[in-house]
């Protein structure tokens, strides 16, 4: 039986993230499911504040992905660009642990190049308080909103690698708060496992304000 990347790392000296990505790519050739699970375990490891410094280097090793077709499960890895983002990060993490308020992930339509974000159903009351003029759609046990366009293009920040860009600035979406100034970017680390980063438009250009993970398909997704 072929060892997973996690087993290899624990059996000897810890692997660098560059080595782990290389082994994930090798494992994906023979066992894509195992590579995907190991990549998701790596993302969970990187949720710890002490590991956030590793996220930019890992993102740089990813490749611009083809769009998933349907629901992706999401995890927030950190949001740090401003006090309100840091507060949102803490709220989402606590909500996910308690099975309450939280970000569930993103849904992509590759044909139209559009998509939307999904929140847990218990986010409804906090959303109404903080965004009284924005209506989230209800579907099953989730809330849908913060619609976006997605496409492959170079990132506006160094090293300008190819990414799948996610933008919220189309007026027809009527997105709230600062969403039109937000740009998400995702790269593929292992089959159907994506590392994302959130950028915020500021006076001097774009600034990275956080990271997140996605995997397809989401549990119970289409």
């Amino acid at each position: 039986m072929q060892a997973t990347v996690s087993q290899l790392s624990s059996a000897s000296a810890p692997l660098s993230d560059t080595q782990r990505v290389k082994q994930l790519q090798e494992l994906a050739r023979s066992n894509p499911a195992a590579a995907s699970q190991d990549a998701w375990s790596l993302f969970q490891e990187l949720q710890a504040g002490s590991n956030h410094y590793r996220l930019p280097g890992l993102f740089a090793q990813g490749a611009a992905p083809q769009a998933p077709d349907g629901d992706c499960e999401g995890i927030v890895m950190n949001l740090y660009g401003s006090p309100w983002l840091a507060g949102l990060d803490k709220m989402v993490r606590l909500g996910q642990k308690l099975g309450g308020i939280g970000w569930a992930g993103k849904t992509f339509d590759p044909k139209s190049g559009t998509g939307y974000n999904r929140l847990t159903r218990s986010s409804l009351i906090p959303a109404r308080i903080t965004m009284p003029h924005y209506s989230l759609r209800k579907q099953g046990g989730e809330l849908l909103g913060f619609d976006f366009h997605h496409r492959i293009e170079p990132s506006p920040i160094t090293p300008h690698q190819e990414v799948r860009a996610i933008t919220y600035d189309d007026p027809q979406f009527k997105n709230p708060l600062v969403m039109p100034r937000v740009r998400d970017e995702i790269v593929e680390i292992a089959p159907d496992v994506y590392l994302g980063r959130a950028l915020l438009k500021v006076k001097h250009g774009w600034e990275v304000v956080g990271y997140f993970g996605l995997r397809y398909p989401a549990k119970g997704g289409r």
Side-chain angles (χ1 to χ4, degrees):
M1 179 182 294
Q2 185 167 4
T4 66
V5 175
S6 298
Q7 291 170 333
L8 289 169
S9 179
S10 60
S12 57
L15 300 175
S16 69
D17 290 329
T18 299
Q19 292 172 318
R20 290 182 76 169
V21 170
K22 183 177 180 181
Q23 291 197 358
L24 283 170
Q25 294 169 344
E26 293 174 352
L27 179 60
R29 297 188 185 99
S30 59
N31 193 337
S36 297
Q37 183 57 52
D38 274 8
W40 196 249
S41 296
L42 173 60
F43 285 8
Q44 293 172 322
E45 175 186 325
L46 295 176
Q47 282 188 293
S50 60
N51 288 325
H52 287 172
Y53 73 94
R54 297 161 56 188
L55 290 165
L58 184 63
F59 188 91
Q61 296 181 68
Q66 295 298 313
D69 187 1
D71 298 340
C72 291
E73 177 183 354
I75 56 170
V76 173
M77 298 166 87
N78 74 326
L79 296 171
Y80 54 82
S82 66
W84 74 267
L85 280 170
L88 178 62
D89 181 36
K90 292 178 181 178
M91 183 185 75
V92 170
R93 288 173 186 270
L94 178 61
Q96 288 177 330
K97 288 182 180 179
L98 299 178
I101 299 169
W103 175 63
K106 297 181 186 289
T107 297
F108 294 81
D109 182 340
K111 294 181 180 178
S112 66
T114 62
Y116 50 82
N117 284 270
R118 305 191 321 281
L119 305 176
T120 59
R121 192 63 176 267
S122 54
S123 304
L124 183 58
I125 293 177
R128 284 179 173 172
I129 293 172
T130 58
M131 302 175 291
H133 303 296
Y134 183 69
S135 296
L136 290 163
R137 308 181 297 276
K138 298 178 183 179
Q139 178 175 285
E142 296 179 328
L143 303 173
L144 316 180
F146 310 116
D147 298 74
F148 56 77
H149 289 292
H150 60 90
R151 60 197 174 276
I152 290 180
E153 64 182 28
S155 174
I157 64 175
T158 304
H160 306 293
Q161 71 192 90
E162 291 281 304
V163 299
R164 181 159 293 276
I166 298 170
T167 54
Y168 301 87
D169 56 355
D170 191 327
Q172 70 174 327
F173 294 149
K174 299 180 181 179
N175 282 320
L177 301 175
V178 298
M179 291 306 294
R181 292 171 50 209
V182 171
R183 168 190 171 98
D184 291 336
E185 299 178 341
I186 62 172
V187 293
E188 192 168 36
I189 300 298
D192 296 324
V193 177
Y194 314 95
L195 178 60
R197 65 183 178 189
L199 278 59
L200 182 66
K201 185 73 170 178
V202 294
K203 289 183 179 179
H204 60 271
W206 292 94
E207 183 177 279
V208 178
V209 295
Y211 287 84
F212 58 92
L214 294 170
R215 65 173 170 180
Y216 175 82
K219 295 178 180 178
R222 53 186 172 83

